[in-house]
Amino acid sequence: MPETDEKKIRMATESYKRTILITGGAGFIGSHVVRLFVNKYPEYKIINLDKLTYAGNLANLKDIENKPNYTFVKGDICDESLLKDLFAKQKVDGVIHLAAESHVDRSIKDPFLFARTNVLGTLNLLQAAKESWKNDYSGKLFYHVSTDEVYGALEFDDTLFTEETRYDPHSPYSASKAASDHFVRAYHDTYGMPCVISNCSNNYGPYQFPEKLIPLFIHNIRNKKALPVYGKGENVRDWLYVEDHACAIDVIFHKGRVGETYNIGGFNEWTNIDLIKVMIKVADKMLGNPEGTSTELITYVTDRAGHDLRYAIDATKLKKELGWEPSLQFEEGIEKTISWYLDNQDWLDNVTSGEYQKYYEEMYADR
Ligand SMILES: NC(=O)c1ccc[n+]([C@@H]2O[C@H](COP(=O)([O-])OP(=O)(O)OC[C@H]3O[C@@H](n4cnc5c(N)ncnc54)[C@H](O)[C@@H]3O)[C@@H](O)[C@H]2O)c1
């Protein structure tokens, strides 16, 4: 770890009630989790470990970067010695693990990268926690954030993924997440490490990298570019506003039963094409375009290989046991989201042009 980061963390170590290592905190969901924990728990020290791949962006955390209980460390979860050092020196007692390669299309092009980060990186993190905690697990927790995609695909009926649904991943991304979930359970069952896992449906909201459907389409509607729809647009996803996911993670981290899995979802299923039509309606209105203007941008393209038909989560366990449920109706969430991207065009332009990465290259050139 660079000396300056180390000093900064060491200076602030002693007075905090807990030290929580959040991995992947510069990404989409991670940045919302970091923000929530830093603001809601000033008594916790939050260390954000992120490699800053193309998907990591420190601009996502501008509003909290100077908070006294927050520290950023640039690093790779596959770097054994960095993790050893972090755990040993910073007395990490909680881990919320989000760092991952997360885009299915990229996993089809480069499955090995997904195996390295998502499987070996998770294993590395588990091992670093195990070695540091030395079987003294009181007050410790390893929380692994996973996806509903590990369950495979549903038919077009009313079945839902429950925590008992058999794993059946189809893409290299979901296979790598499934493997990482199994390693987390193995560390719980074999070594007694206190672990908890959540599997969440598709997230939407501010700060999502614009290779994913919702921010990409907002960007394209604004710039009058094609809206590429896979197949006939009939695939169904269950959408959850990202801040609701962050709240669920907070609840599970503090109240979830060790060794358990919790499904998180929005009870909010949409076919891709219907979702796109809603987005067009809201975005055209906000942009002052006559209704339906952007419909002509819809372009059907060859379907993604192995494209799962339908995902839908049953989040009843989480509601019954821990009292969590989504706070936002989809109509409100999608309006908030579209308006955020339209109001933050600099963020979107910066990310789409790759400018933000040049900034990091200069900033971290010596590391
Ligand atoms: N986006 C979704 O809809 C969704 C749904 C359910 C679960 N998840 C899971 O939530 C987590 C976060 O997803 P996201 O959409 O925010 O992803 P993201 O791609 O936006 O962010 C991933 C972050 O991880 C960092 N990272 C990647 N490789 C790393 C490494 N080797 N070491 C350290 N940091 C690394 C990246 O720099 C980035 O900041 C993932 O584990 C994903 O599987 C995502």
Side-chain angles (χ1 to χ4, degrees):
M1 195 189 327
E3 211 198 329
T4 44
D5 290 345
E6 203 180 308
K7 238 188 261 161
K8 236 191 343 187
I9 302 175
R10 214 185 308 126
M11 267 165 46
T13 299
E14 305 309 333
S15 55
Y16 288 101
K17 203 167 141 193
R18 297 193 74 166
T19 301
I20 300 173
L21 177 66
I22 300 182
T23 69
F28 167 45
I29 301 170
S31 63
H32 289 275
V33 176
V34 166
R35 176 176 297 100
L36 177 69
F37 273 69
V38 165
N39 287 331
K40 186 169 172 188
Y41 302 107
E43 69 276 26
Y44 293 175
K45 185 173 59 164
I46 305 299
I47 304 172
N48 171 13
L49 172 67
D50 198 297
K51 186 181 174 184
L52 299 181
T53 65
Y54 78 95
N57 185 354
L58 289 180
N60 297 357
L61 292 164
K62 265 259 159 276
D63 54 324
I64 56 113
E65 68 184 5
N66 294 319
K67 294 266 179 169
N69 63 334
Y70 170 71
T71 307
F72 172 69
V73 177
K74 183 178 188 291
D76 189 336
I77 53 167
C78 298
D79 182 340
E80 238 176 87
S81 66
L82 170 89
L83 289 188
K84 223 178 217 170
D85 211 43
L86 255 183
F87 273 88
K89 293 192 177 134
Q90 311 313 330
K91 303 192 175 75
V92 172
D93 50 30
V95 175
I96 305 179
H97 175 37
L98 297 111
E101 289 294 338
S102 69
H103 191 43
V104 175
D105 290 342
R106 287 179 191 258
S107 81
I108 294 168
K109 289 197 186 102
D110 187 358
F112 286 88
L113 175 63
F114 281 66
R116 178 187 179 273
T117 298
N118 299 359
V119 187
L120 293 179
T122 301
L123 181 55
N124 209 27
L125 202 55
L126 285 162
Q127 185 62 15
K130 177 176 172 284
E131 283 174 10
S132 158
W133 294 342
K134 297 188 176 66
N135 296 323
D136 174 9
Y137 289 134
S138 109
K140 313 289 196 305
L141 185 66
F142 190 105
Y143 182 162
H144 178 59
V145 176
S146 192
T147 167
D148 61 353
E149 300 192 29
V150 298
Y151 296 124
L154 295 165
E155 296 297 323
F156 291 125
D157 53 21
D158 55 3
T159 50
L160 300 171
F161 294 135
T162 73
E163 288 79 0
E164 276 70 49
T165 302
R166 190 173 68 89
Y167 274 32
D168 184 20
H170 295 148
S171 72
Y173 165 64
S174 53
S176 69
K177 290 298 289 188
S180 66
D181 293 8
H182 290 317
F183 269 111
V184 174
R185 288 200 184 95
Y187 268 62
H188 171 263
D189 296 350
T190 308
Y191 306 114
M193 185 185 284
C195 297
V196 69
I197 299 177
S198 58
N199 297 84
C200 189
S201 62
N202 277 31
N203 283 216
Y204 70 99
Y207 300 115
Q208 186 167 31
F209 193 82
E211 64 187 349
K212 305 275 170 77
L213 192 148
I214 290 183
L216 174 72
F217 279 31
I218 299 169
H219 179 71
N220 287 7
I221 291 171
R222 171 167 70 91
N223 293 298
K224 301 187 173 26
K225 285 168 73 175
L227 305 175
V229 180
Y230 279 132
K232 294 180 183 156
E234 285 170 345
N235 303 64
V236 174
R237 299 294 180 258
D238 170 6
W239 291 92
L240 178 68
Y241 192 66
V242 63
E243 287 180 4
D244 276 331
H245 187 187
C247 288
I249 289 174
D250 177 18
V251 170
I252 295 168
F253 183 80
H254 288 98
K255 297 191 195 146
R257 282 185 294 135
V258 163
E260 290 293 317
T261 294
Y262 294 91
N263 279 355
I264 311 174
F267 294 107
N268 177 43
E269 291 182 49
W270 287 84
T271 61
N272 285 345
I273 193 65
D274 285 344
L275 176 79
I276 290 159
K277 287 178 183 162
V278 169
M279 287 174 57
I280 287 175
K281 191 167 175 198
V282 176
D284 273 343
K285 190 166 174 205
M286 285 182 186
L287 289 163
N289 296 335
E291 193 170 336
T293 304
S294 303
T295 310
E296 65 187 28
L297 301 174
I298 293 176
T299 312
Y300 292 94
V301 298
T302 311
D303 208 354
R304 168 193 278 163
H307 203 179
D308 290 331
L309 273 187
R310 174 173 166 257
Y311 303 141
I313 278 279
D314 181 353
T316 309
K317 175 177 172 182
L318 183 55
K319 186 177 170 186
K320 272 199 182 149
E321 268 191 29
L322 307 182
W324 175 91
E325 53 187 332
S327 70
L328 272 195
Q329 291 297 314
F330 184 69
E331 290 67 22
E332 195 186 339
I334 199 73
E335 280 198 16
K336 257 177 104 159
T337 303
I338 294 175
S339 125
W340 186 87
Y341 284 99
L342 295 178
D343 289 348
N344 289 274
Q345 291 182 6
D346 288 353
W347 182 91
L348 205 52
D349 289 341
N350 210 11
V351 177
T352 40
S353 72
E355 266 315 300
Y356 72 108
Q357 289 202 313
K358 285 187 205 142
Y359 166 74
Y360 294 141
E361 275 156 26
E362 284 160 26
M363 198 170 157
Y364 291 100
D366 59 337
R367 303 193 174 183

